[in-house]
């Protein structure tokens, strides 16, 4: 097994072994089973049974019996919708009381024993238990329907119908599993949190560590495993990535870059930009971006660590630069990352502002990109539930966890500028801490 870009393996394993359920997931599940549209018509799996009997040899009495089973299950779905409204009203109220403002974008609240003691959490637990019972009842109705339909192979599209019902039973079980942590006892080996974007609340659960599971479920089953990537070492050592991935008994080799960075790239650190936490930092970043973009006539990619900082800069500079016939495009505002990259390649008088997905995997070779701006060192958000929980495993969480993580992310960002031996350009770092702090 060869895993390239292996610095992403921990995050990917965390996501794959994680559970996530939001209001849209549950509502979509109910809608697939049955719903009434604006015209008063009913559609969904439970209302399609009659179509599957067309031309079949199934007796009318049996058809009627299965139709009643579908109708009974739909009534359970409607009860589930009522519980859905109660659950997410309780979750929203809990977040409103206990979560900090997310700056207009996203709020996250880690759920620990402390949060579970809050009075409002009892309402959440009660609503979650009612939701779980509703899903169990629906699952029972679908299982009865499946048992009735499975032997009737003369039904139209019989095999597809059996697969669809089975899939919906499985989906309901996954939804129950994803929200089960709300009313169960806290598992010290998992991280729990709630998030909200535009009043849509989602329940999350991920493993605290993935190293042991990777070793048991992935590495041990292979004769050989190779981890590769351009950003696996910190200060010339693989210790950090070894510890995070449980890859302790490996041989290692560190190769030099094929690019001559000293000749191809200039690193520029302005000395008149305040530290990110200081007053005037955002204004200084915006002015620097205007000056840089004018000097380069576009051809610039600016990397941010938050959506709010990106939006502030976008609002500050887009009007100013439009007078210079320089187009400013922002991730999450003007299109997908692929569309924005294509726009810069087609017209070099363009400035791209990006967040997380632009820090890696973006290659813009040639003169279309000549300046890379790193607005802020890429430390994880200190309130992120996964970061906070994993930090608690270290004696010195900042130096042992936060700094190496930021160093690897910084390397990825830096790599956006030079993607071929003929590329040249400037990296501008607008975070003075890179010179003033010991790290």
């Amino acid at each position: 097994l060869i895993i390239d870009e292996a610095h992403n393996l921990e995050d990917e394993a965390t996501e794959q072994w994680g559970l996530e359920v939001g209001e849209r997931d549950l509502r979509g599940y109910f809608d697939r089973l049955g719903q009434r549209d604006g015209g008063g018509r009913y559609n969904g799996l439970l209302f399609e049974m009659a179509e599957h009997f067309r031309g079949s040899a199934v007796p009318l009495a049996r058809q009627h019996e299965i139709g009643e089973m579908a109708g009974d299950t739909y009534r359970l779905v409607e009860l589930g919708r009522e519980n859905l409204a109660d659950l997410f009203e309780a979750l929203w109220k809990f977040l409103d009381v206990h979560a900090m403002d997310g700056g207009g974008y996203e709020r996250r609240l880690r759920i620990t024993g402390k949060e579970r003691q809050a009075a409002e959490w009892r309402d959440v637990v009660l609503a979650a238990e009612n939701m779980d019972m509703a899903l169990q009842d629906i699952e029972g109705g679908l299982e009865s329907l499946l048992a009735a339909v499975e032997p009737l192979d003369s039904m139209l599209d019989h095999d597809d119908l059996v697969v669809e019902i089975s899939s919906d039973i499985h989906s309901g079980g996954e939804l129950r599993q994803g929200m089960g942590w709300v009313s169960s006892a806290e598992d010290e080996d998992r991280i729990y949190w709630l998030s909200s974007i535009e009043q849509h609340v989602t329940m999350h659960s991920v493993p605290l560590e993935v190293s042991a599971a990777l070793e048991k479920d992935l590495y041990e089953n292979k004769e050989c495993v190779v981890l590769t990537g351009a950003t696996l070492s910190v200060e010339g050592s693989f210790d950090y990535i070894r510890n995070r991935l449980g890859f302790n008994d490996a041989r290692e080799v560190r190769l030099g870059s094929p690019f001559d960075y000293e000749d191809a790239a200039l690193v520029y650190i302005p000395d008149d930009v305040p530290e990110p936490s200081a007053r005037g930092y955002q204004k200084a970043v915006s002015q620097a971006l205007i000056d840089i973009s004018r000097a380069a006539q576009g051809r610039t990619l600016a990397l941010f660590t938050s959506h709010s900082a990106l939006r502030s800069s976008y609002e500050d500079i887009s009007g100013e630069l439009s007078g210079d016939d320089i187009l400013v495009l922002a991730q999450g505002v003007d299109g997908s990352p692929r569309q924005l990259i294509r726009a810069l390649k087609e017209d070099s008088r363009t400035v791209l502002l990006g967040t997380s997905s632009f820090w890696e995997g973006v290659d813009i070779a040639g003169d279309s990109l000549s300046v890379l701006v790193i607005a802020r060192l890429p430390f994880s958000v200190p309130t992120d539930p996964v970061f906070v929980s994993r930090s608690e495993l270290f004696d010195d969480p900042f130096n042992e966890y936060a700094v190496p993580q930021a160093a690897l992310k910084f390397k990825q960002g830096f790599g956006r500028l030079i993607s071929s031996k003929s590329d040249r350009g400037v990296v501008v770092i607008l975070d003075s801490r890179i010179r003033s702090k010991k790290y």
Side-chain angles (χ1 to χ4, degrees), residues 30-93:
F30 294 147
D31 289 349
R32 284 200 310 277
L33 295 177
Q35 63 174 323
R36 185 176 181 179
D37 63 23
R41 295 181 297 273
Y42 289 92
N43 51 56
L45 169 71
L46 299 172
F47 294 99
E48 295 169 357
M49 289 297 143
E51 297 176 18
H52 291 279
F53 290 124
R54 280 188 291 125
S56 76
V58 179
L60 287 176
R62 188 61 170 153
Q63 293 183 30
H64 180 71
E65 182 184 348
I66 291 173
E68 285 191 337
M69 292 170 65
D72 290 342
T73 305
Y74 176 67
R75 282 184 279 279
L76 295 173
V77 170
E78 287 299 286
L79 288 173
R81 289 188 205 278
E82 295 176 15
N83 289 315
L84 172 69
D86 293 341
L87 172 60
F88 283 91
E89 182 181 357
L91 286 169
W92 180 255
K93 286 181 178 177

Side-chain angles (χ1 to χ4, degrees), residues 271-310:
D271 58 11
D272 57 351
V273 175
E275 287 193 7
S277 59
R279 188 175 180 180
Y281 168 74
Q282 179 57 50
K283 182 179 179 181
V285 167
S286 297
Q287 187 58 53
L289 284 171
I290 291 170
D291 295 341
I292 291 163
S293 301
R294 282 174 174 160
Q297 295 295 290
R299 301 188 300 160
T300 298
L301 169 63
L303 300 177
F304 293 84
T305 57
S306 75
H307 291 275
S308 58
L310 180 149

